[in-house]
């Protein structure tokens, strides 16, 4: 048993892929409970807000309220799924199950581990935004062909919130503290990023604040691809914001988690 | 191939002002089984963590570690590709089945799926888990989980296997089974580094042991030799406190016997079995008195002390 046919270190893409593969395997091990809700959630949102509230509203930036809402919902679900994964999920793997410790016994570095984690968050973002899109397509709320590109926005949004959530997780030592992140940061962001109502009639200060929030940019991108006639050069700025955000928080998050894993 | 598999020189590790490992140094030859012994908090696990790249030494300028020529500070991945690591705490993927745990882990080593399947089959039968391939982790007993963790560490056919307290908390059957497997691996040329606080374990499987205390190496050698060199051959344990009056330590000392009293039990050590029997003739009938050969545990307690430290 002591020959050395497996003694070579796999290259970086293979290492990251193997981490990603682990997450996919675990995620699909609970197939039904993980695959069903992403489709149910947008249905509820579209029914409650889109149909329920939307009946009383007309003419939202030239489209029906339900279409206005549906055009940004892909990124909010991407945000929430990536954030759950990289807060509670990451924390449990880090502290309770010690899955990371096990994985680090193999030729995997902490950077590989976190990159795999972040890309998985992106994958979840893609999958969840895809679920919303599918519902919107089937119900005929969204018909614009470019909306297929929203899958990519969902992926980026997942990566962005994956990075930021891991950054948050690197500070957390008590799992209950994530409540602050969800109620104090993500929930207000959901409402003040132009997802449920446009920001242009809000006080200027809120408009400026919203520009600082990551979801605003993801929502604007999503909407640009989902609704006809609003795409313009501005989306480059949003894309740039997202990429810079990912690079900054991704780098810091990986560094900080490493300090918790390597004693 | 180089004779030395693992070389550790001047290993220091401090955690928030507490010195966990203090100037530790040793070598392990290829195919050798080295045991690190010591009470909890002696620094065994920490030392292993630094060797496998899971922890950083205080000052890599001073500390020098080589595992098959690789430096864990810079080349931890190479070391881990050549090694198997079984940490003290089971860290299996509780959401996956036994087989999937191994299949996912095989990917980390870059083992192609087809070969991995064969290897998994081989290892499940090696660790006698073949009937549990589809079981979930929480359906397994502690012993099975530990065996699976060991199987997982063997996926890459490691040249070095690092086991941190491999049988702590397991029943005697499983413990003996694991010892047998470790011997089998060693017979196949695997180098082993094991930490334990079970003296019998060290005696059973280690070629050489290092007793550590408070982060330092206290003694090092082959188990039998250490016994010969550092402790008397026999000991009599007297459990009744009244008997204390019967023995006079100074008189015994003159006869070459060593006395120790701890928590109401008197221990009298000597190389002369007959002398001890004579001494305890009146007492021996009683169940509260027993002569036995000294073992590693006696040596261990002699060296690391009977009193608990703050980390135990």
């Amino acid at each position: 048993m002591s020959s050395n046919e497996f003694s070579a270190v796999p290259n970086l893409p293979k290492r990251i892929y193997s981490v990603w593969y682990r997450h996919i395997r675990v995620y699909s091990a609970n197939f039904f409970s993980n695959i069903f809700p992403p489709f149910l959630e947008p249905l509820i949102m579209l029914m409650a807000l889109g149909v329920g509230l939307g009946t009383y509203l007309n003419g939202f930036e030239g489209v029906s309220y339900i279409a206005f809402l549906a055009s940004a919902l892909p990124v909010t679900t991407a945000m929430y799924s990536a954030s759950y994964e990289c807060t509670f999920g990451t924390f449990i793997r880090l502290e309770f199950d010690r899955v990371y410790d096990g994985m680090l016994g193999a030729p995997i570095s902490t950077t590989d581990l976190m990159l795999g984690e972040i890309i998985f968050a992106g994958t979840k973002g893609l999958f969840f935004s895809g679920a919303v899109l599918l519902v919107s397509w089937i119900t005929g709320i969204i018909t614009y062909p470019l909306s297929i590109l929203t899958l990519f926005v969902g992926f980026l949004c997942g990566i962005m919130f994956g990075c930021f959530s891991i950054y948050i997780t690197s500070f957390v030592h008590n799992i209950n503290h994530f409540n602050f992140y969800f109620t104090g940061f993500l929930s207000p962001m959901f409402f003040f990023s132009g997802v449920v109502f446009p920001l242009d009639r809000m006080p200027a200060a809120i408009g400026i604040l919203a520009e600082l929030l990551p979801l605003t940019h993801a929502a604007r991108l999503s909407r640009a691809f989902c609704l006809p006639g609003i795409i313009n050069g501005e989306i480059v700025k949003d894309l740039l914001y997202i990429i810079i955000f990912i690079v900054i928080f991704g780098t810091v998050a990986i560094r900080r988690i490493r300090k918790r894993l390597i004693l | 191939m180089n004779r030395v598999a693992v070389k550790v020189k001047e290993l220091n590790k401090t955690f928030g002002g507490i010195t966990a490992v203090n100037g530790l140094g040793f070598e392990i030859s290829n195919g050798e089984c080295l045991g690190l012994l010591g009470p909890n908090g002696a620094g065994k696990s920490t030392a292993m963590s630094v060797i496998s790249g899971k922890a950083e030494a205080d000052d890599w300028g001073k500390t020098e570690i080589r595992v098959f020529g690789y430096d864990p500070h810079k080349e931890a991945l190479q070391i881990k590709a050549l090694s198997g690591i079984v940490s003290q705490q089971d860290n299996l993927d509780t959401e996956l089945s036994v087989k999937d745990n191994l299949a996912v882990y095989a990917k980390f080593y870059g083992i192609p799926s087809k070969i991995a399947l064969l290897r998994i089959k081989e290892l499940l039968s090696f660790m006698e888990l073949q009937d549990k391939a589809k079981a979930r982790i929480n359906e397994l007993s502690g012993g099975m989980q530990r065996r699976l963790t060991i199987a997982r560490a063997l996926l890459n056919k490691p040249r070095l296997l690092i086991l941190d307290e491999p049988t702590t908390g397991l029943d005697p059957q499983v413990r003996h089974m694991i010892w047998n497997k470790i011997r089998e691996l060693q017979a196949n040329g695997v180098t082993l580094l094991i930490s334990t606080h079970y003296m019998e374990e060290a005696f059973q499987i280690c070629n050489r042991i290092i007793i550590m205390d408070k982060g330092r190496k206290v003694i090092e050698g082959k188990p039998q030799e250490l016994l010969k060199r550092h402790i008397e051959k026999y000991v009599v344990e007297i459990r009744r406190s009244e008997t204390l009056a019967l023995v006079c330590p100074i008189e015994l000392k003159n006869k070459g016997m060593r006395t120790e009293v701890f928590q109401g039990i008197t221990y009298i050590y000597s190389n002369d079995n007959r002398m001890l029997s004579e001494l305890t003739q009146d007492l021996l009938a009683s169940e509260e008195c027993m002569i036995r050969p000294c073992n590693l545990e006696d040596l261990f307690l002699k060296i690391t002390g009977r009193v608990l430290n703050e980390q135990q």
Side-chain angles (χ1 to χ4, degrees):
Chain A
M1 300 242 301
S2 57
S3 64
N4 295 315
E5 52 196 294
F6 310 130
S7 58
V9 178
N11 61 29
L12 180 71
K14 272 191 182 163
R15 297 200 304 268
I16 296 171
Y17 168 74
S18 65
V19 174
W20 179 85
Y21 176 79
R22 180 264 162 201
H23 292 321
I24 291 288
R25 281 297 282 268
V26 170
Y27 190 67
S28 52
N30 301 304
F31 192 78
F32 189 73
S33 57
N34 277 334
I35 303 299
F36 189 56
F39 290 92
L40 199 64
E41 216 177 78
L43 267 177
I44 296 169
M45 287 288 278
L46 290 173
M47 281 295 287
L49 289 178
V51 180
L53 187 66
T55 314
Y56 299 93
L57 309 162
N58 42 30
F60 250 83
E61 297 195 333
V63 293
S64 67
Y65 181 65
I66 199 165
F68 176 82
L69 183 68
S71 63
L73 272 190
V75 289
T76 64
T77 52
M79 168 183 91
Y80 277 118
S81 64
S83 299
Y84 273 108
E85 188 62 42
C86 293
T87 50
F88 292 104
T90 298
F91 189 82
I92 288 166
R93 290 190 280 275
L94 183 71
E95 296 286 337
F96 295 160
D97 288 352
R98 304 232 154 234
V99 171
Y100 289 156
D101 279 346
M103 292 164 88
L104 287 176
I108 298 285
S109 71
T110 50
T111 306
D112 305 337
L113 204 60
M114 286 304 120
L115 288 176
E117 190 95 4
I118 290 164
I119 292 171
F120 178 64
T123 310
K124 274 187 97 171
L126 184 141
F127 175 71
F128 274 69
S129 57
V132 179
L133 271 177
L134 203 64
V135 169
S136 308
W137 286 334
I138 291 170
T139 50
I141 299 168
I142 285 173
T143 49
Y144 193 47
L146 268 187
S147 59
I148 187 86
L149 291 176
T150 309
L151 287 175
F152 174 67
V153 182
F155 180 70
L156 278 184
C157 184
I159 291 203
M160 178 166 68
F161 282 97
C163 289
F164 191 66
S165 300
I166 293 175
Y167 173 72
I168 297 293
T169 304
S170 73
F171 290 95
V172 169
H173 288 272
N174 175 342
I175 196 164
N176 297 304
H177 292 171
F178 286 126
N179 294 338
F180 293 115
Y181 176 53
F182 279 87
T183 339
F185 184 66
L186 295 185
S187 296
M189 191 159 54
F190 176 79
F191 287 107
F192 293 97
S193 294
V195 173
V196 267
F197 51 81
L199 292 166
D200 41 15
R201 286 191 215 165
M202 297 296 285
I206 289 183
I208 292 166
L209 195 72
E211 285 306 313
L212 298 174
L213 298 174
L215 186 63
T216 307
H217 301 274
R220 204 180 283 149
L221 271 182
S222 175
R223 196 158 276 147
F225 292 133
C226 282
L227 299 175
I230 51 173
I231 196 162
N232 60 32
E234 290 288 295
I235 64 162
V236 177
K237 284 186 198 163
D238 296 315
L239 207 60
L240 214 61
Y241 173 100
I242 291 174
I243 289 166
I244 292 170
F245 190 97
I246 288 171
V247 170
I248 292 174
F249 282 100
T251 312
V252 185
I254 291 171
R255 244 182 239 161
R256 290 190 50 92
I257 288 285
R258 185 190 142 81
K259 281 193 186 144
R260 281 181 70 166
L261 281 166
I262 304 292
L263 303 171
Chain B
M1 201 196 289
N2 198 333
R3 192 188 61 81
V4 179
V6 180
K7 186 171 86 176
V8 177
K9 240 168 141 181
E10 195 56 32
L11 170 53
N12 294 292
K13 178 69 183 173
T14 323
F15 290 113
I18 294 163
T19 307
V21 182
N22 194 345
L24 182 68
F26 60 83
E27 283 187 1
I28 314 176
S29 306
N30 267 305
E32 191 187 19
C33 177
L34 176 74
L36 296 179
L37 265 78
N40 287 337
K44 311 178 296 283
S45 299
T46 308
M48 290 174 139
S49 297
V50 180
I51 292 166
S52 61
K54 182 75 182 63
E56 299 278 7
D58 285 344
D59 180 1
W60 283 108
K62 269 192 193 166
T63 302
E64 192 193 343
I65 300 178
R66 290 291 179 276
V67 181
F68 303 118
Y70 293 112
D71 179 352
H73 178 47
K74 294 175 192 141
E75 299 156 312
L77 293 185
Q78 278 82 353
I79 292 175
K80 291 193 283 186
L82 290 167
S83 314
I85 298 161
V86 178
S87 59
Q88 206 175 103
Q89 237 178 336
D90 283 319
N91 45 34
L92 294 160
D93 232 320
T94 49
E95 294 178 85
L96 295 172
S97 70
V98 167
K99 203 176 146 194
D100 285 352
N101 256 280
L102 298 179
V104 162
Y105 214 79
K107 274 265 189 295
F108 298 152
Y109 290 111
I111 304 173
S113 308
K114 271 189 191 163
I115 299 170
L117 278 179
L118 292 174
R119 185 84 189 121
I120 289 166
K121 217 175 155 195
E122 189 183 317
L123 284 171
L124 285 180
S125 69
F126 179 68
M127 292 313 286
E128 295 170 29
L129 287 166
Q130 60 274 40
D131 301 335
K132 295 284 172 191
K134 285 181 182 153
R136 284 218 160 203
I137 299 307
N138 49 21
E139 294 166 22
L140 302 182
S141 67
M144 289 175 191
Q145 292 195 19
R146 183 43 59 94
R147 272 143 65 197
L148 180 58
T149 311
I150 296 174
R152 189 177 72 176
L154 294 174
L155 276 166
N156 60 332
K157 302 192 176 177
R159 281 167 63 188
L160 169 71
L161 188 60
I162 299 177
L163 298 146
D164 195 357
E165 297 188 9
T167 66
T168 297
L170 304 180
D171 61 39
Q173 283 85 352
V174 177
R175 183 175 298 167
H176 280 272
M177 184 257 183
I178 290 178
W179 290 345
N180 275 332
K181 297 301 173 188
I182 291 174
R183 284 191 205 103
E184 214 176 313
L185 290 167
Q186 202 195 356
N188 282 304
V190 176
T191 306
L192 290 135
L193 174 60
I194 292 176
S195 81
T196 181
H197 42 229
Y198 293 123
M199 301 310 115
E200 206 205 333
E201 184 158 280
F203 208 77
Q204 288 265 356
I205 54 181
C206 298
N207 304 117
R208 200 156 49 91
I209 59 172
I210 288 174
I211 296 187
M212 289 177 71
D213 195 28
K214 299 179 185 105
R216 287 175 179 280
K217 173 160 83 181
V218 189
I219 51 171
E220 176 178 358
K222 292 180 175 151
Q224 289 287 4
E225 275 177 16
L226 290 180
L227 282 181
K228 238 181 254 171
R229 227 186 311 150
H230 296 282
I231 197 154
E232 298 81 352
K233 272 192 187 139
Y234 302 96
V235 60
V236 55
E237 282 181 26
I238 307 163
R239 293 182 181 277
R240 226 171 31 196
S241 49
E242 304 95 271
T243 52
L244 283 176
L246 299 173
V247 293
C248 166
I250 294 166
E251 194 185 311
L252 293 177
K253 202 177 172 188
N254 292 335
K255 287 183 187 166
M257 288 183 258
R258 184 168 62 89
T259 318
E260 212 178 281
V261 181
F262 187 72
Q263 290 186 345
I265 302 174
T266 309
Y267 300 85
I268 305 168
Y269 298 90
S270 170
N271 282 323
D272 192 339
N273 193 4
R274 230 185 32 212
M275 209 146 67
L276 285 178
S277 325
E278 278 168 20
L279 175 76
T280 55
Q281 238 160 25
D282 309 331
L283 303 162
L284 264 178
S286 147
E287 283 172 8
E288 300 184 25
C289 174
M290 180 175 78
I291 294 186
R292 57 171 177 80
C294 280
N295 57 32
L296 269 182
E297 189 140 336
D298 299 305
L299 173 67
F300 182 76
L301 291 171
K302 180 183 170 188
I303 286 166
T304 61
R306 290 187 185 271
V307 185
L308 295 182
N309 69 39
E310 66 274 13
Q311 290 185 58
Q312 287 171 307

